[in-house]
Amino acid sequence: MKEFKILAVIVALVGITYYGIEPYAHSVMHPEVAPADFSFKDLKNVDTKLTGNAANGQALVEANCLACHAIEKAGHPAIMPNADAAASYGVVPPDLSQAGRIYDKNYLANFIFDPVSAMHLQHKYTPESGKAFPMPSYNWMTPQEIMDVVAYLQSIAPKAAEGKEAHKATFEAACGRCHNMKYAGIEATTPATVIKEHMGATPPDLSQYIKSRGEHYLHSFINDPQVLLKGTSMPRVGLNEKAQEEVIAYMEEVGDSKKAERESLGVWVLLYTFVFAILAYLWKRKIWSEVH
């Protein structure tokens, strides 16, 4: 009976300590944030209910986008090497081949209208900073023209695929211009010295971010970095939910390839602990029975 009283006291003390610290940890050290918003409801400059005309969008893209962007899928290669493009713009402009598949339609339309506000980087590109985002706003276009551009990008985008190679393609399109993934042999297309000057810091290698940050953190952070790291230079990327899941899946495939095997061992570890606890209890009864 005395032992159970001691156990009860220990359980009570542990419970009080836990419930005293846990609220502080979540409210101050790691506060809860709003769930990821894959509809980007704050972006309202373009009426995305308009039906786009892909043919007109093609003409607009060819007239306005190809001076900076490649569209390999449509037969438009980059007009200059990555190093030269990075030196000119601060970061390599993305190939738009997959833009219509990986980016949310509302985000993409509003990005064309005003890139800085869509990316949540108003704090970085201010009149006082003297910096200007390399891509201009196309707010002179009508909402219909912008939706035509979106319709064209969606029409040329490759169909969704599954598996590690598909996940890798999404990762490279969404993250590979700035971030390395050395465990997978991926090096950012923008040279580190250039991106550091443009962003203010060198973007981290993402090989182990699935372990160091965790899947839950990444879901919120990728969707909108400002909610977890206010003032960061990383833009809101604008991935749709499926594309973001593919990016995180690839980070897991590279940085935590043994996850499934590790989790499958959990049942056996718990079973071993349970058996060991029974044996320990029986041994304890035997020892104490001799004492009494």
Side-chain angles (χ1 to χ4, degrees), residues 89-108:
Y89 304 116
V91 64
V92 176
D95 185 305
L96 300 180
S97 298
Q98 296 207 59
R101 183 184 75 82
I102 67 174
Y103 298 118
D104 172 76
K105 180 174 73 171
N106 185 44
Y107 178 90
L108 188 55

Side-chain angles (χ1 to χ4, degrees), residues 73-130:
K73 183 76 167 53
H76 300 294
I79 64 170
M80 64 177 80
N82 286 339
D84 294 339
S88 299
Y89 304 116
V91 64
V92 176
D95 185 305
L96 300 180
S97 298
Q98 296 207 59
R101 183 184 75 82
I102 67 174
Y103 298 118
D104 172 76
K105 180 174 73 171
N106 185 44
Y107 178 90
L108 188 55
N110 280 276
F111 181 89
I112 295 168
F113 183 90
D114 182 2
V116 173
S117 63
M119 294 186 298
H120 277 179
L121 289 182
Q122 297 95 323
H123 62 282
K124 180 175 174 65
Y125 299 102
T126 63
E128 295 75 21
S129 71

